[in-house]
Amino acid sequence: MELAHRLKKIKPSATLAVTALANSLKAQGVDVIGFGSGEPDFDTPQPIKDAAIKALADGKTKYTPSGGIPELKKAIVQKFKRDNNLEYKLSEVTVNCGGKHSFYNLMQVLLNSGDEVIIPAPYWVSYPDIVLLADGTPVVIHTDELTNFKITPEMLKKHINKKTKAVVINSPSNPTGSMYTLDELKALGELLKNYDICIITDDIYESIVYNGNKFYNILNAIPELKSKTMVLNGVSKTYSMTGWRIGYMAGDETIIKQVEMVQSQSVSNPTSIAQWAAVEAIMGDQSFINEMLQAFTRRKEMIVKGLNDINGVECHNPDGAFYVFPNVKKIYQCNGFKHIIDNYKGDSLSSKLSSYLLEEARVAVVPGVAFGSDNNVRLSFATSDKSIIEGLKRIQEAIEKLV
Ligand SMILES: *Cc1c(COP(=O)(O)O)cnc(C)c1O
C-alpha cells in the first residue's frame, strides 16, 4: 500500500534514536555511557506524584475540557504573572500533551502550504519536521560560536519575505544552551515590530539558567509584541516530568481557540491525572528546581572543562539548559579521521564521529547534523557525575587514537 507522501519529508527524532540505541546496547550487557538523553535524570518530586495519586483516588479519571482543566489554566495564568511578569486571561492559555505537542498544534493552526517558518540553527531536532508535517517550509538561519549561536537582527532580516509566517526563538537553547540577553531580544523585537509575523518563544528551559544570568523572553523586552507572540512552555524540564506529557502555551485568543479545536479532533485532552500533577508542580513548593540546578551547575563545569582538555575539541560554556555542543571540526581534519570516514556508519562527519565514539569508546553522543550543525556533537549532562567522569575519560582516549 502506498503511504502518505508527507512521511517522506520527515525523519525520526535523532535524540530519541540515540537514546534507544544506547539503551539496547545496555540491555545486551554492553556498558555504554549515555550522553544522548534529552531529559533531567531526577525523579519527579514526591508532592507532584502524590497529587496524581490523589487525583486517581478521587476519580479524576474522565475526559477533561479539551484545552485543560480550569484549575490548571488558572495555575498557568498565575505562573506567567509570578515568573514572567506577563498577564494572560484564562481564554489566552491552553494545555497540550507536552511542549512538542504545543508546537505541533500551533503549526497545524498557523500554516498553509508553502508558508515559511524561520528556525535559527543549531535548532531543536523537532522544529523543522513539525513544520514540514504541517506543509510549511522551514527556513534555517545558520549560526555558530562566533555569535554564541545566536541570531542578530541583520541575519533575521535577510530571511524575512512575504511567505514568512513565523519565527522561532528558543532561549536557553537546545542544543547549544545559549540564552538571549534582554538587549539582544530588544534588538530582534524592534525589527519584528515591523512585520506581521508570529513570534514563537519556546521557554521550556527558562528555569535552568547558570552563571547568575536572568531569563527573559521577547515580551519582557518589548511588551507591545504581545498580540503576535505565542509563549510555549511545559513542565517536562523544570519539574523532571517528561513522561507526564504536559505542555502549554499562551497568546492570541483566536489562535488558542483554534489550537483547542485541533486538539479536540486529535487527542481530545491531555491526560486528566497528569494535569492535576501539573497543577501541583506549578503551584507547589518550587525548591526542587534549585536542587536540580545545583547538580547541573556542578556537572556543567565538569563537562566543559573535561571537553576543553581534549585535543581538537572546543566547548563553549552554556548559559542554560543541560547540554553542551562542543565543536569537533579539528578532529575531522586530523589524519586518523580518514579511517573513521571509511569504516564507520553515518551520512555526515558528525554521524561518523558519533558511531566511532559509540563503538570504540562506548559513549553515546548525538551528531550535530541532527540539529543543523555538522561541526558539533551534543552531549547532555543530565546524567550522574560518575558517568560524566568516566565518559570524558573514554572520549579522550578514543580521540587521542586519532591524532
Ligand atoms: C524538551 C523540549 C521541549 C518540550 O518537550 P515536551 O517533553 O514535549 O514537553 C520543547 N522544546 C525544546 C527545545 C525541548 O528541548
Side-chain angles (χ1 to χ4, degrees), residues 11 119-128 140 142 173-175 369-372:
K11 55 200 175 312
I119 302 171
Y123 46 71
W124 183 42
V125 287
S126 296
Y127 295 136
V140 172
H142 287 279
S173 146
N174 174 4
V369 69
F371 309 93

Side-chain angles (χ1 to χ4, degrees), residues 93-368:
V93 300
T94 188
V95 184
N96 314 109
C97 306
K100 185 181 283 182
H101 190 226
S102 300
F103 189 74
Y104 183 90
N105 283 338
L106 185 57
M107 291 302 105
Q108 292 294 320
V109 164
L110 286 182
L111 301 184
N112 282 311
S113 176
D115 281 353
E116 297 185 355
V117 178
I118 296 179
I119 302 171
Y123 46 71
W124 183 42
V125 287
S126 296
Y127 295 136
D129 289 52
I130 292 174
V131 168
L132 289 165
L133 270 176
D135 258 354
T137 306
V139 171
V140 172
I141 307 183
H142 287 279
T143 72
D144 56 23
E145 291 83 357
L146 285 177
T147 59
N148 250 323
F149 298 113
K150 293 184 264 193
I151 57 167
T152 61
E154 295 72 38
M155 292 158 97
L156 178 56
K157 191 164 182 205
K158 274 191 216 146
H159 291 80
I160 295 175
N161 63 45
K162 286 205 176 67
K163 287 191 191 152
T164 308
K165 200 60 171 277
V167 54
V168 180
I169 300 173
N170 175 215
S171 165
S173 146
N174 174 4
T176 66
S178 289
M179 185 171 77
Y180 287 86
T181 64
L182 193 61
D183 283 344
E184 288 164 342
L185 290 168
K186 230 176 228 159
L188 292 174
E190 285 298 337
L191 174 73
L192 287 165
K193 264 192 203 164
N194 306 313
Y195 300 95
D196 184 23
I197 295 174
C198 179
I199 305 164
I200 301 165
T201 170
D202 180 348
D203 297 355
I204 197 95
Y205 293 104
E206 69 169 338
S207 46
I208 306 174
V209 170
Y210 310 110
N211 313 336
N213 292 318
K214 189 167 158 25
F215 166 84
Y216 297 103
N217 72 19
I218 197 158
L219 291 181
N220 302 131
I222 306 205
E224 306 142 67
L225 290 171
K226 191 169 173 204
S227 64
K228 36 179 143 182
T229 300
M230 301 300 295
V231 184
L232 273 52
N233 209 325
V235 297
S236 288
K237 308 292 159 63
T238 303
Y239 305 102
S240 202
M241 289 177 72
T242 46
W244 299 76
R245 312 310 306 133
I246 297 291
Y248 53 88
M249 71 176 120
D252 177 77
E253 202 174 73
T254 315
I255 293 179
I256 293 291
K257 215 169 169 178
Q258 299 301 321
V259 163
E260 293 189 348
M261 180 176 75
V262 167
Q263 187 152 289
S264 77
Q265 295 295 18
S266 47
V267 298
S268 292
N269 62 263
T271 305
S272 56
I273 50 180
Q275 290 188 59
W276 286 101
V279 172
E280 172 60 28
I282 294 171
M283 298 312 294
D285 179 15
Q286 303 289 300
S287 58
F288 165 77
I289 302 175
N290 247 327
E291 287 164 30
M292 180 170 68
L293 204 55
Q294 274 177 20
F296 282 159
T297 304
R298 188 178 65 239
R299 297 170 183 173
K300 175 181 75 81
E301 298 303 326
M302 217 151 74
I303 204 164
V304 169
K305 177 168 185 316
L307 286 167
N308 279 321
D309 283 346
I310 301 175
N311 246 331
V313 179
E314 276 166 38
C315 186
H316 65 120
N317 198 346
D319 304 313
F322 41 72
Y323 312 101
V324 282
F325 201 59
N327 190 300
V328 292
K329 203 166 69 185
K330 287 199 181 130
I331 299 175
Y332 300 158
Q333 290 154 0
C334 62
N335 267 334
F337 200 72
K338 293 196 189 87
H339 170 75
I340 311 292
I341 294 180
D342 296 337
N343 292 285
Y344 287 85
K345 276 201 306 274
D347 44 19
S348 71
L349 298 180
S350 61
S351 319
K352 284 179 183 283
L353 178 61
S354 303
S355 301
Y356 170 71
L357 289 176
L358 189 59
E359 286 178 40
E360 178 65 30
R362 288 160 293 122
V363 166
V365 306
V366 188

Side-chain angles (χ1 to χ4, degrees), residues 60 63-76 90 95 270 272 274-277 279:
K60 305 265 175 49
Y63 291 132
T64 75
S66 194
I69 53 175
E71 289 82 355
L72 181 52
K73 285 195 170 186
K74 274 182 210 145
I76 291 166
L90 283 185
V95 184
S272 56
Q275 290 188 59
W276 286 101
V279 172

